[in-house]
Amino acid sequence: MNLPSHQTFCDCLRHNFRVQIDGGSNENLVLTSVSTLLESAVSTPSHPKEHFSIIFECQNQTHLPQKIYSFTHPTVGQFELFIVPIGPDRVSKHMCYQAIFN
């Protein structure tokens, strides 16, 4: 399965992503941050690898445990992503989740 690229996530900053949670229900997460990480020695011009992290914010009180979830976005489509809760946002107090691509 191909995951969206760094640029794709940058283009979707502040967009809602639908996340399927257990029991068939869905939760909306807002993409709030896309950060570039340091380049790795395994990345070569012929085999470039993107190293970045993204942060989503959940505006409801739902707490999602770390695991792989199915995400859907109107233009990006469907993909699976491992997210980890990283605590509430300092300002909004909404729970945030991070995924790291390396």
Side-chain angles (χ1 to χ4, degrees):
M1 170 185 291
N2 288 331
L3 290 171
S5 68
H6 178 267
Q7 185 59 53
T8 299
F9 282 116
C10 287
D11 293 343
C12 295
L13 199 57
R14 305 274 182 243
H15 289 199
N16 284 314
F17 286 76
R18 190 179 71 208
V19 180
Q20 185 177 9
I21 55 179
D22 294 333
S25 59
N26 294 307
E27 185 65 62
N28 285 319
L29 299 182
V30 178
L31 180 62
T32 59
S33 174
V34 181
S35 302
T36 301
L37 301 176
L38 295 175
E39 288 299 321
S40 167
V42 297
S43 184
T44 65
S46 60
H47 292 90
K49 296 192 186 263
E50 296 184 304
H51 305 276
F52 62 98
S53 76
I54 58 175
I55 296 177
F56 293 97
E57 186 176 309
C58 181
Q59 297 180 349
N60 294 328
Q61 296 298 328
T62 305
H63 177 77
L64 304 174
Q66 70 177 31
K67 70 177 208 170
I68 297 172
Y69 291 92
S70 179
F71 281 71
T72 305
H73 183 271
T75 57
V76 177
Q78 186 173 358
F79 57 94
E80 291 186 346
L81 195 58
F82 182 80
I83 58 172
V84 176
I86 58 171
D89 179 78
R90 291 181 185 157
V91 176
S92 71
K93 306 300 185 208
H94 297 141
M95 182 57 82
C96 293
Y97 300 89
Q98 184 177 36
I100 295 177
F101 298 78
N102 57 15

